[in-house]
């Protein structure tokens, strides 16, 4: 089996994984690296707390240990980037996290980025990440839509809430580019962009794009 | 059993735990909270990598889950603060990490703090923490003594290396206060202070002191 | 007379001093350091302007000069920390300011701290302090209740105004922990916490707790 | 003619352009976007001053105006990113600058990035850019090799100087990843990496990789 | 002809230049430097886009090249400071930009500065400048009045919009001093100050004042 | 007596005052504001500690109270800016501090500023000021020459020490402009500039220049 960019969904939802798979399809090119999206069946249904993130970090590391020889890169497809820095220490291939990649990509699109989070309690966790990244000066703010896993299943209401959060980030906080603060919502990117008039970064796409480049360049 | 401040040593070294126990003795006061130092036997011999930190986070959380009812506070006695933010989400008592507490305490002692790390590869991990804490402006720098676990056993050479790192932080980076970047080295605090002429923060003592205050105040 | 932690109220209000005295009672432990709260009778009725702070700095220094031999630590119980850095240069014992200690403590409780100030014109003065401390990245904002000394005497209205400011800091600025920006209001801590659902730091308690730890540790 | 990613070399050196062309070859994929490297014949021989950058901005804009219909993205291949923000306002396709992209990519590889500049007088210009990007907290420092255009022709001496600068950035400033602060030096990436033991980001490759991803994703 | 401080209006509006001329009149002193306000006839009617700024940079540089021998200082009277850093590299006399000077002056008047911009799309450009200047911590925010060139001609409505923006910067963002984010509006300074109760910095006056001092001091 | 810009030397040295007087001579213009340099006889011989600064603040305030009606502006000519923010609250005229003004002026001359301090223990005090000003990102560093008042009397050795500090700030810290961190040393500005090849800001001149502009503009 040729090596692939592994896109690791650390929650146990195969639905999310298939969303990821569809989202990265445009990055599959003849002659380019294969991209494999995988579900960590042992993961939680959703990563919602710091404890979930801590557990996911180990699951992601275990996956990397088991698939090291088959990977040309690892992408961690959870917006808290569980295991990111651990894998960077153990793997010899590029390791990208979707929240880090999304923010870095946003920095090349608009000046101040706003983040649409799912749950309010994720915001401090994300702020710690932006602080560790040293990019808080560019962060316009973060607003949560406050919908749990079951509420997310109502796609229409979820999109409406994201559009509302996006408009508030634009109008009240001065965001010039939006980052979707979760994995598996690529279909909402375009409508969110239209509703807000702002460019929108879908984090898994952003991360796999960075991985693709790194793999092709061999660094 | 009355509740206690649990000081959790997430590595498996009982020697380190007994060092912690001695270090916090001055904070045991009649009428004050009990302070119990515990070893996580299932932990690694030392926390040296991000992977160790990630694994330690789960072990610390498991300990908290098991001892929740007996704890008036938790102190995580590893300079990478494994599990700190996870416990803050799950526990109703104060949770302190020794690296966070050490830096906060140092900020009340001197303007620019310098950190003496054990291993070079810990430095980026610590810098991510200072960034997440938003205190990089006060960080004069961090220098590693580059000694592995066995080399640390040579106490005299270790102290000499720490003094050398401290003098370099003072002279080359402008540090006005030093933070010892590891647990279990309280006996070196005084000689390091004398060798450098700078105040020195011992992290476990700093964290337990903060826990003591919080417990007494009931917040 | 054994040495004590001196808690210096730099305004002339004995009422405030007795509030301080009650607030720090839980930190008085058998075998622990004595804590003495003193009023600087020559101080202004309240510290409301930069000029008041400048004058208070000298009064605090004069007090330290006169009581040096009896002090195991000095706590400056005014939210502008008058004389803090002066005493740190002249005294060989720990010197803590209540605003600095409150913010450092808040940083170990929630990610973004909000400050409830008394007067609007204090805000720039506080912001200069957070800037000097290098912690502006963690400051969600500061809101003043705009009540003068006489208006503060109406306790009920004052608490209501503080709760309102706290809710605005939480909802409009994203504060995850609140700092009470004045001395002598410890009884409002608990109701403010209940009204806002956020943890609340009372600054004199925070500072004396840090002093207690430092005195016990002998550094 | 199908649309292409235009990689614009704003200096008049066809040699540099052919270096760029070779450097981005691994990013040419069957089914992926064409990548065309062009020389702005009217540009200066090298971009060495702020005035050169200002003039290059207009030349780049003129090129974009003339080739708008043929471009799926524009990459500005000069380490001062001339015209970057102008093109972002006028073009409907992704616009990437090589210095911005290099730094963003470096942020996903190591904690503190060091930059190897060609001329000392470029350093303040670059620092303004890192400041505008809001990433100074991650910048370990920048060191210039101080070689003019003719001196650069001596490849061996240039590489030696870059390796020396890289080692100083690593040892004296704590850089954990290096950014090559000029276009057209991709062949030095690997030897520089070997000489320093640090990952090295080649800026044109970094920018074209980001452009490739954006073009494929259609955003 | 004796040397003069050249105040360069990079847009083609002679009306704006005569406003500048009137604004700096109080800085013309017997025995002091002459102050000459000039219009760059080849400039755009107004500088509204990054492209306008880029073109203006060249025009300003061309003017400096042509008048080098007659200038004791150059002031660039456009709020995007076109050509500022280019001229600093080529000229041996002080070079001041009005936006940089306005912000520096504001920093000596109030803690948090708010900027009243003309067009929304200028805001990211300004934010890049404040970021490059490293003063974002002092920036309370920026609000645009959103009036194009023709709409600006309605002086009364323009002033009303500026007062409204100023009040919002004061009340919603905590600005303690206002900066007028455009040239040629000195007559609005006093009424804006009265309407908001905040000190207001007029940028061209601020820059020429700094130039006057530098010229007199000979450095 | 017409109003004047009062330049207040808060130490008791008339020699320093006459140095100030000579330094600001070029800013005395026919038709411009009078500039009066005064000595606070009750001040300390030199301002060397935080305590000296605190006492000087009161002396400066007392002077302002006594001369309010005669002042068109106040300049506080001590590099710790004693009383700066107090006077800003009480006076209706411009109040400038020499360290603040020097740094703001330096920001318009070079990217990274280095400060030459007299005594090492002043450095943390200055760093608190740069932090409060929010300009640490532009501070390359600060180096003290470590000479007490009597040692300063040896002009030649003092200048040599300043040149040495300046060269170190340039070579080791990357300073592009130097700030002289004390009052009364204007004659050293030019030789220091020649010795280092860097522009040098003399703080009293910088502050009086800013005051001159503000007075002429009436704001």
């Amino acid at each position: 089996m040729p090596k692939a960019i592994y896109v690791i969904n650390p929650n146990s939802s195969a639905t999310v994984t298939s969303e990821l798979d569809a989202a990265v399809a445009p990055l599959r090119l003849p002659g380019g690296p294969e991209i494999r999206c995988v579900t960590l069946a042992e993961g939680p249904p959703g990563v919602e707390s710091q404890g979930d993130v801590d557990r996911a970090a180990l699951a992601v590391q275990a996956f990397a240990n088991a698939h090291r020889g088959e990977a040309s890169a690892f992408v961690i497809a959870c917006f808290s980037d569980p295991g990111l820095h651990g894998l960077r220490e153990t793997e010899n291939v590029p390791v990208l996290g979707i929240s880090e990649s999304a923010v870095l990509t946003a920095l090349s699109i608009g000046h101040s980025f706003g983040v649409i989070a799912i749950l309010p309690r994720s915001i401090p966790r994300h702020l710690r990440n932006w602080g560790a990244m040293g990019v808080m000066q560019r962060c316009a703010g973060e607003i949560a839509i406050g919908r749990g896993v079951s509420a997310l299943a109502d796609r229409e209401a979820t999109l409406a809430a994201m559009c509302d959060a996006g408009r508030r980030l634009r109008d009240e906080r001065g965001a010039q580019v939006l980052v979707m603060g979760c994995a598996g919502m690529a279909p909402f990117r375009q409508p969110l962009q239209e509703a807000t008039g702002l460019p929108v970064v879908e984090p898994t796409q952003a991360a796999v794009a960075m991985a693709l480049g790194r793999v092709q360049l061999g660094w």
Side-chain angles (χ1 to χ4, degrees), chain A residues 8 10 53-54 56-61 64 73-91 93-102 104 129-130 132-133 207 210 214:
Chain A
I8 308 171
V53 176
D54 292 346
L58 291 213
V60 167
Q61 182 71 58
F74 291 105
V75 170
I76 303 166
C78 162
F79 201 72
S80 294
D81 292 351
L84 177 64
H85 296 291
L87 263 67
R88 285 202 176 136
E89 288 186 9
T90 57
E91 307 311 305
V93 297
V95 180
L96 281 307
I98 68 168
S99 88
E100 183 187 73
S101 298
L104 295 175
N129 279 352
W130 317 150
M133 288 178 66
M210 290 187 85
R214 296 276 298 283

Side-chain angles (χ1 to χ4, degrees), chain A residues 115-156:
Chain A
V115 181
I116 302 174
I118 300 305
L119 295 173
R121 71 171 153 169
S122 303
I123 294 180
R125 189 163 69 242
H126 296 166
L127 291 177
R128 290 195 296 272
N129 279 352
W130 317 150
M133 288 178 66
V135 297
M136 275 300 292
Q137 188 174 304
R138 299 283 294 276
C139 180
E142 182 152 350
I143 290 180
I145 59 171
R147 299 178 71 83
V149 168
S150 58
L152 287 176
D154 181 341
R155 305 285 282 182
E156 208 167 319

Side-chain angles (χ1 to χ4, degrees), chain A residues 11-26:
Chain A
N11 69 43
S12 61
S13 163
T15 310
V16 167
T17 309
S18 65
E19 292 272 21
L20 301 178
D21 197 69
V24 302

